[in-house]
Amino acid sequence: MTAGEKDGTVASGNNSLVKRMLSSMWGYWMFLLTISFGVAAAIYWIWLRGSV
Amino acid sequence: MFDFAIAGVSAPISLLVFVGFTVGIVGGFIGVGGGYMVTPALIVFGFPGYMASGIDMTHIAGKGLVSTMRHRQLGNIDWTLALTMIAGTMLGVELGVRVLVYFKQLGLAGIVLLLTSVVVMFSLFLYTQIETRRSHRQMQELNKAGRDPGRELQTSSLPRLFQSIPLRPIVRCRTARVVVSMWVIVLVGVVTGFLAGFLGVGGGFIRVPALVYLVGASTHIAVGTDLVEIVFSGGYGALRHSIEGHVDMMAVLFMLSGALFGAQFGSIATSYVRGPAIRYILSYSLILATFGAVMRLAYVLTGQKVEWLSFFAVMLTLGEMTFLCLFILSLVWFARRHKRGEWVPDWVKPLVIS
Amino acid sequence: MTDTSSRGRGIVKFVFWALVATTVIVFTVRSYTSGQMAEWFYHRASLNGYAVNADTLKGASKDKPAILLISTGDTVSGLQAVRVQKGQRLPRNSNGVIADDVVTKGKRAVLTDATLRVMVPWEMKESKGFKFKDSFKHKGIVTWPWVGVWNMIVVALLGLSLGLMAEGFTDMLGLKLEKIRHHVKS
């Protein structure tokens, strides 16, 4: 990573997509929510299926 | 899976430790016991309702102690504020429980409880979210102007109103840097304790905003001081539940083993952020808990026939804990990056300490 | 205080409180697994009825009821029911009481000569919008009142020792946690 890429003044490839997603608070919120419900679904599928 | 002889269920140990850990992080960070997340989760794992409440309360008392000690080290506790509020909180909890018993006798407890949860949590979410966004914007402007926004900024005018009430005795809370009538503090304790006793929760999600917006304490001090209250109210609740036989100590132990680490992370994480960051997480937990309560209310009102409502309530309960935990950990990660001069989103900069 | 001596104190603090926490945990686990805690929980009957081990009734149904032999004594083993009066000590291995009025109603359990037939061992109930199975377990029992005090002592000791252990751990690693400087701008 160049110094410019490290401090965000120059976007590099994949990083620009990630940065665009993180740049908005709501975007970040939705991103974390998706992961969280994925984890919840996994927990449900592994341990709680059939008992709820 | 572990066979809980007293609770009469088999439940996976890893899930109990996971719940203890995630709620430990959230609780240590925003100053809540997490009962409104843990009790539904335990019921989902198969524990009977009365056992879920008892186990939750007992683990909250222990976890609260762990978090309180760390917050004491960080200087986040105003002992004058905490000790003045305790009597009011205990009285409020007792009143709340008696009103709940009254509604139970009328056969309306379930619906009234869920309805009250929805109204209280949604109102708190709305006020906290609006005020925090205003504070966040002001901090961003201060940042852009090259001025240090400080550890805390809040835009509500309510604290000044309550601090101007001249009823003696007047109390000087040195750590919180607040001078206010003792009766305001006691009233805050009674009202928040009443809601806690009625809803069957620790009350942190009501008390933290009350300490910030009514008494005028900083968010960090509200969190630390509230955890002291939770140790007492959780301890009292745990004693009552234990006497009724509603506590399975093995379940408590598993949850505490996760909470030990979670509470440490959560408490120490407060030193990386400014006040509005904590209030944001608190408001998110309120809105997610509101959605969960709405779904459970709809499930009860539809005569328990619409099964997918129950399923979504389960998903929301588990997803909420994970979401809040991830948000808190990511704020700490952003704070460390910001300190090293690495890129962080613009909206994060005013929320973290660099 | 020099860094080395504070790290040394941290190690002592961590080890001491880790030992206290471990002792409390081991003691609690032993009380639990030995059945001692269960005896404290299922201490006395709160009403007149039949003391049973509700876990043995799980598979029962209207077509295949669980048939419990009415017996006397201070232990319930397997499919047995022991007659108890209100306030009486519960027999060992029992964890619930089927009340006389449940037997009189005859919908869930019925008394026939020297046996108690259980047809409906659990019912679906709802709490705070979540469904759960409500069995005879924990019904009609009174816990030994001092269990509350015992639990509180265990939880308080555990919370205190785990918290101090964590403080010792961070001191041991030389992590300095500074007091936050609070100042509210409004």
Side-chain angles (χ1 to χ4, degrees), chain B:
Chain B
M1 297 288 256
F2 186 89
D3 223 349
F4 293 95
I6 289 170
V9 297
S10 289
I13 299 170
S14 45
L15 277 189
L16 287 173
V17 174
F18 171 76
V19 166
F21 176 70
T22 50
V23 173
I25 292 184
V26 175
F29 191 78
I30 61 176
V32 299
Y36 56 98
M37 292 183 279
V38 173
T39 305
L42 289 175
I43 295 173
V44 163
F45 297 163
F47 289 88
Y50 54 85
M51 274 275 174
S53 291
I55 292 166
D56 174 49
M57 269 287 170
T58 310
H59 122 271
I60 280 172
K63 179 189 71 177
L65 252 177
V66 174
S67 302
T68 298
M69 288 164 66
R70 194 54 89 176
H71 276 284
R72 180 193 61 89
Q73 221 184 8
L74 292 168
N76 287 344
I77 299 177
D78 189 306
W79 290 101
T80 311
L81 196 52
L83 295 172
T84 310
M85 224 177 10
I86 279 174
T89 305
M90 293 303 175
L91 175 67
V93 167
E94 193 56 40
L95 285 171
V97 168
R98 281 169 195 248
V99 170
L100 178 66
V101 167
Y102 170 72
F103 277 109
K104 263 193 179 139
Q105 283 162 358
L106 292 177
L108 294 171
I111 289 177
V112 170
L113 221 126
L114 283 169
L115 212 58
T116 313
S117 299
V118 169
V119 169
V120 168
M121 287 194 288
F122 187 72
S123 316
L124 283 171
F125 155 74
L126 218 54
Y127 191 85
T128 311
Q129 180 69 208
I130 292 170
E131 187 280 323
T132 307
R133 286 179 77 75
R134 227 183 293 148
S135 303
H136 188 194
R137 246 178 273 127
Q138 281 196 18
M139 278 185 153
Q140 269 172 324
E141 281 160 25
L142 285 168
N143 238 3
K144 279 189 187 135
R147 287 159 60 192
D148 176 26
R151 177 71 72 161
E152 177 68 272
L153 188 150
Q154 68 116 315
T155 59
S156 172
S157 52
L158 287 174
R160 252 177 262 138
L161 176 69
F162 279 84
Q163 284 168 17
S164 65
I165 294 172
L167 282 171
R168 286 180 189 278
I170 303 293
V171 173
R172 282 177 196 282
C173 306
R174 288 184 202 282
T175 311
R177 296 199 202 184
V178 160
V179 177
V180 69
S181 165
M182 181 196 85
W183 300 109
V184 170
I185 301 172
V186 170
L187 184 69
V188 165
V190 170
V191 171
T192 56
F194 175 84
L195 284 168
F198 183 69
L199 298 173
V201 293
F205 67 90
I206 308 163
R207 210 174 296 118
V208 169
L211 285 171
V212 173
Y213 296 127
L214 302 183
V215 175
S218 75
T219 315
H220 290 77
I221 289 181
V223 166
T225 306
D226 176 65
L227 283 163
V228 175
E229 300 297 299
I230 277 171
V231 170
F232 283 98
S233 67
Y236 175 64
L239 182 69
R240 283 192 93 191
H241 278 287
S242 294
I243 290 169
E244 297 295 325
H246 294 167
V247 179
D248 188 311
M249 278 305 277
M250 276 313 293
V252 173
L253 279 187
F254 286 128
M255 290 182 68
L256 275 177
S257 64
L260 159 68
F261 297 97
Q264 293 302 313
F265 277 128
S267 307
I268 294 171
T270 61
S271 61
Y272 286 86
V273 301
R274 301 184 204 271
I278 299 175
R279 299 204 294 278
Y280 265 135
I281 302 290
L282 180 68
S283 69
Y284 299 153
S285 88
L286 285 167
I287 192 62
L288 289 169
T290 306
F291 280 138
V294 163
M295 279 193 199
R296 293 200 301 278
L297 182 63
Y299 182 62
V300 168
L301 288 174
T302 55
Q304 301 171 34
K305 289 193 183 96
V306 188
E307 290 298 332
W308 61 263
L309 280 172
S310 176
F311 166 75
F312 272 108
V314 170
M315 295 296 288
L316 203 56
T317 301
L318 296 172
E320 176 187 1
M321 291 187 280
T322 317
F323 170 78
L324 296 171
C325 198
L326 285 176
F327 213 119
I328 292 165
L329 292 173
S330 60
L331 280 174
V332 173
W333 181 64
F334 282 135
R336 290 173 70 85
R337 280 183 66 93
H338 193 37
K339 203 167 189 174
R340 291 195 297 262
E342 291 169 17
W343 180 87
V344 293
D346 284 336
W347 60 267
V348 168
K349 287 172 191 170
L351 296 177
V352 299
I353 301 290
S354 52

Side-chain angles (χ1 to χ4, degrees), chain C residues 80-119:
Chain C
Q80 277 186 342
V82 173
R83 177 87 194 140
V84 289
Q85 303 295 321
K86 185 177 174 176
Q88 198 178 328
R89 272 300 300 265
L90 286 171
R92 226 175 287 132
N93 293 341
S94 64
N95 53 29
V97 176
I98 300 178
D100 278 345
D101 66 328
V102 170
V103 176
T104 311
K105 278 181 193 159
K107 282 186 189 158
R108 296 182 69 185
V110 151
L111 192 64
T112 50
D113 295 326
T115 62
L116 185 66
R117 293 160 68 88
V118 178
M119 300 91 67

Side-chain angles (χ1 to χ4, degrees), chain B residues 3-9, chain C residues 42 52-60 78-79 93-96 121 135-137:
Chain B
D3 223 349
F4 293 95
I6 289 170
V9 297
Chain C
Y42 304 109
V52 298
N53 185 322
D55 299 328
T56 59
L57 309 175
K58 275 182 185 156
L79 290 168
N93 293 341
S94 64
N95 53 29
S135 68
F136 285 116
K137 185 160 184 161

Side-chain angles (χ1 to χ4, degrees), chain A residues 3-5 7-8 12 14-15 20 22-23 25-30 32 37 40-41 44 48 50:
Chain A
E5 285 170 340
D7 69 12
S12 75
N14 290 336
N15 276 349
R20 246 183 285 146
L22 298 183
S23 289
M25 195 168 178
W26 292 111
Y28 189 62
W29 212 87
M30 294 309 298
L32 282 188
F37 281 106
Y44 172 79
L48 304 172

